Amino acid sequence: GDEIEERAVPTHSYSLLIKDNNLHGHAMKSLSSTSTTENDAISQTLELSSQAWDRFEWTGTLKQLDTAAAAAREQKEQSLVARKQLGETTKLFKKSVKAMDQACVGLNQNASEDAISSAVKAMDVLSKECRQTIKSYQEEVDNLTRRCKASENAFISIHSALDGISDPAALIKSASQKIRDQQKQISQLLRTVEEVNKEMSNMEANAAAQNSTPPPSAISREEKEELLQLRREVAEYEVEFR
């Protein structure tokens, strides 16, 4: 109720009780105010970081990276196959060069029609293999260039997206430490509330045991209201910190 039952409590008991518990109340208010300020600062930092990571679009960016990684693996496999083909093309080219050398030696030794025909044939083969080899190497150079550009673009894209975003590990560590500190603070405040409740109960019990009736004017209405307000605050702190 809103009224405090008038027990046989001396005036000085109410005054001491109110004064002592007001100190506890001011202490809890001070701690609560400091905690609220720190929480606001941490909340603001986390909110800004959250907005930055929202702009990063983790899911969408991860899909892009997965696509780029899959393309890179495919291009790598294609490059391995192309290297084997280049090896075979190079072998054929070397054979054509060797055949041309032998045809030239035979032509120098004997300029017969067969030697000339063999030299012309070797030259045609060499010319064909030369064009094929150059084409194969050029295609592989182009493929490697595209592969390099794709990797560079993927890296630049992820770097640009991460640029300016704070390290989430530091924020998580800070928030985790703050939660641990608050848990300790809450435990301390709860112990304080329990001590206040116990002290109030003991003082009221002692006053009732004295069985003395105070004068009607000994306990002012202001003191009654202040004690009632103190009880409300203690109850509020119990609800807040539990």
Side-chain angles (χ1 to χ4, degrees), residues 81-198:
V81 174
R83 286 183 61 183
K84 292 181 180 179
Q85 292 177 347
L86 282 176
E88 295 298 326
T89 301
T90 303
K91 288 181 181 179
L92 293 175
F93 177 72
K94 289 181 178 179
K95 287 182 180 179
S96 298
V97 172
K98 186 176 181 180
M100 185 63 197
D101 290 340
Q102 291 176 350
C104 290
V105 170
L107 185 61
N108 290 331
Q109 292 177 353
N110 182 14
S112 63
E113 291 184 1
D114 291 339
I116 294 173
S117 177
S118 297
V120 171
K121 184 177 179 181
M123 185 178 296
D124 289 339
V125 172
L126 178 59
S127 176
K128 180 181 177 181
E129 293 297 334
C130 183
R131 289 194 299 270
Q132 182 61 39
T133 301
I134 293 175
K135 181 180 178 182
S136 298
Y137 273 93
Q138 185 61 53
E139 288 178 351
E140 182 59 17
V141 169
D142 293 340
N143 291 334
L144 291 175
T145 301
R146 285 192 293 270
R147 179 181 171 187
C148 181
K149 286 184 177 179
S151 299
E152 289 177 350
N153 290 336
F155 174 78
I156 293 173
S157 177
I158 190 66
H159 182 272
S160 299
L162 289 173
D163 187 28
I165 299 181
S166 56
D167 181 7
L171 292 175
I172 294 173
K173 183 178 180 180
S174 176
S176 178
Q177 182 61 45
K178 181 59 181 176
I179 291 174
R180 288 195 294 269
D181 293 342
Q182 283 190 333
Q183 288 175 340
K184 292 180 181 179
Q185 188 183 64
I186 289 172
S187 298
Q188 294 174 353
L189 291 174
L190 289 175
R191 285 196 295 270
T192 301
V193 170
E194 291 176 357
E195 291 174 359
V196 169
N197 285 333
K198 183 177 180 180

Side-chain angles (χ1 to χ4, degrees), residues 38-52:
E38 293 177 354
N39 286 343
D40 290 342
I42 291 178
S43 297
Q44 184 178 7
T45 302
L46 290 175
E47 179 63 24
L48 293 175
S49 178
S50 176
Q51 292 175 1

Side-chain angles (χ1 to χ4, degrees), residues 6 12 14 63 65 75 77 93 134 138 148 174 189 191 227 231:
E6 292 189 2
H12 70 276
Y14 277 105
K63 288 182 179 179
L65 290 176
Q75 291 171 353
E77 293 175 357
F93 177 72
I134 293 175
Q138 185 61 53
C148 181
S174 176
L189 291 174
R191 285 196 295 270
L227 183 57
R231 285 178 172 175

